[in-house]
Amino acid sequence: MPPIPHLAYVAFDVVPAPKGAAIHIQAFLQGLAQTFGHVTLMTVAPKHPTPAVAVPWPGVTAVALPARGATLIHRVMDFRQQLYAQLAAQPRFDLIHIRSIYEGLPIAREKARWCDRLVFEVNGLPSIELKYRYPDVEDDDELLKKLIAQERICCAAADRIITPSPVTRDYLMQRGVAPEKITMIPNGVDLATFTYQPPRPFQPEQDDAFDVLYFGTLSSWQGVNLLVRAIAMVQPQLPARLTLIGPASKGQRVALAKLAKKLGVGDRVYLCDPTTQADLVAHLHRSHCTVAPLTPCDRNLVQGCCPLKVLEGMAAGTPVIASDLPVVHAIATPEQHYLPVKPGAVSAIAEALIALSQA
């Protein structure tokens, strides 16, 4: 019987957590553990740790490493220092799986020291995404050059690159990555959790509101502000109520709450913390529709993504309104699987909400 390979999955992220990236990581871990017998998970320790509990995934040994500091750079450097020590204390790995340059760069630079093979999973790239989280860096050309150089190092060192979207695959090829090096693995849905129920029809004589759901991060590329504006636009004709579920900074929450109040729908928009998948499914089944108002920006059009919220909405049977973008076309057919709307157009979202309420 061949020996069990020594595998590691390293991510500059908190796992487990009630967000798409953590769910995605969990699926990979379970697949690796089931296929190879064991995998070591190295992630970021949560800011407010709870008592240590063994991860509920057979064959996975989890190590949570500190990422302390006032800025992203400080947190990355602290995590890398802890990661160096952890890797040095382990036998050399047969394979290491990374998800970003934050944890991946020191491994890629000394690949021969740490592992035989390196897998780089590209869901997003800091050279494109960082400016949406930290707007002040958008015009920092030197930082952009450094990020691109670090991404290039990770891509060059990787024996295999995994990405969930053909848009991302094509972008990596434009950046010089050989096509035969890239494997596309789209996001998926656990159908045992996201159970199907027929769409809930809107009945004005019985329903006090047309319930609209958005779940996911409140990052600007998601277009949540457009959805809030659409809720305000339909009010004279449709008593829509919007529930937003997902992680957000204090600033994001304040900005959305101010926008809703300014538009006169402060009492029609509810911001909720991230929740369990089971609770999310219950929200989907209670809603008349869910919306993925992705904006036409470089994050969605150039880099690409694989919008899990669209897949989960479809799996639950909840009607989906989504921006008509190539990243959505890659996983669903317009009109058949979702109601397409012009990206970035508030009026298009409003018209779709009204059309669904009358269907």
Side-chain angles (χ1 to χ4, degrees):
M1 185 174 181
I4 296 175
H6 193 41
L7 309 179
Y9 191 114
V10 188
F12 185 72
D13 217 325
V14 176
V15 180
K19 61 178 184 176
I23 302 302
H24 184 93
I25 291 171
Q26 176 181 334
F28 265 89
L29 287 170
Q30 290 175 310
L32 289 169
Q34 290 169 8
T35 302
F36 298 104
H38 184 265
V39 58
T40 299
L41 170 66
M42 302 180 197
T43 56
V44 175
K47 290 182 180 178
H48 307 290
T50 55
V53 178
V55 292
W57 312 313
V60 177
T61 299
V63 180
L65 303 173
R68 297 159 295 204
T71 69
L72 174 63
I73 292 176
H74 287 108
R75 291 192 292 273
V76 168
M77 297 309 294
D78 186 54
F79 181 80
R80 286 178 177 175
Q81 184 177 0
Q82 308 298 327
L83 180 60
Y84 267 124
Q86 186 65 35
L87 289 171
Q90 298 264 357
R92 189 169 178 274
F93 287 95
D94 296 301
L95 181 147
I96 295 179
H97 183 130
I98 59 174
R99 283 176 52 91
S100 75
I101 63 172
Y102 300 134
E103 77 280 352
L105 183 65
I107 297 172
R109 278 178 166 164
E110 297 185 86
K111 174 186 166 184
R113 177 182 177 186
W114 305 121
C115 62
D116 293 329
R117 294 183 179 276
L118 181 65
V119 172
F120 185 18
E121 180 188 337
V122 179
N123 294 283
L125 295 165
S127 61
I128 287 181
E129 293 198 349
L130 198 64
K131 62 180 176 287
Y132 293 102
R133 185 175 178 184
Y134 302 101
D136 290 344
V137 309
E138 184 170 7
D139 298 324
D140 192 333
D141 292 336
E142 285 303 313
L143 176 61
L144 179 62
K145 289 178 183 178
K146 290 179 181 179
L147 293 174
I148 291 174
Q150 292 179 17
E151 292 162 359
R152 187 178 295 117
I153 290 170
C154 289
C155 286
D159 297 280
R160 177 67 57 181
I161 294 176
I162 298 172
T163 189
S165 171
V167 176
T168 313
R169 176 199 60 201
D170 293 347
Y171 177 60
L172 290 171
M173 289 165 56
Q174 292 173 17
R175 295 262 302 252
V177 178
E180 63 271 13
K181 197 174 185 178
I182 305 172
T183 298
M184 193 178 70
I185 305 177
N187 285 334
V189 181
D190 181 1
L191 297 180
T193 300
F194 286 85
T195 54
Y196 175 84
Q197 283 190 13
R200 177 189 167 200
F202 177 57
Q203 299 173 303
E205 66 281 1
Q206 297 180 18
D207 297 327
D208 64 335
F210 182 76
D211 283 304
V212 181
L213 177 66
Y214 170 86
F215 57 97
T217 67
L218 302 187
S219 302
S220 60
W221 66 66
Q222 300 281 14
V224 182
N225 62 320
L226 304 175
L227 180 52
V228 173
R229 293 182 181 277
I231 293 296
M233 185 176 289
V234 302
Q235 287 304 317
Q237 186 174 347
L238 178 66
R241 178 170 56 203
L242 173 61
T243 299
L244 306 171
I245 301 176
S249 67
K250 182 179 179 180
Q252 288 171 327
R253 290 178 176 274
V254 169
L256 281 173
K258 283 184 177 180
L259 176 63
K261 184 177 180 180
K262 177 183 176 182
L263 296 173
V265 289
D267 59 343
R268 309 296 291 177
V269 177
Y270 300 87
L271 281 76
C272 304
D273 291 330
T275 187
T276 64
Q277 285 193 298
D279 189 48
L280 177 58
V281 174
H283 275 283
L284 280 164
H285 290 160
R286 288 195 297 267
S287 301
H288 292 103
C289 74
T290 183
V291 186
L294 297 165
T295 63
C297 63
D298 59 353
R299 189 268 181 183
N300 296 325
L301 290 172
V302 178
Q303 173 193 273
C305 61
C306 186
L308 188 57
K309 58 176 64 65
V310 173
L311 292 170
E312 291 173 341
M314 292 191 297
T318 307
V320 177
I321 297 171
S323 296
D324 204 24
L325 293 172
V327 292
V328 185
H329 298 170
I331 58 174
T333 303
E335 304 294 349
Q336 180 179 350
H337 299 130
Y338 70 98
L339 185 58
V341 295
K342 181 181 178 180
V346 173
S347 60
I349 300 172
E351 290 170 6
L353 292 173
I354 293 172
L356 272 181
S357 73
Q358 298 173 346

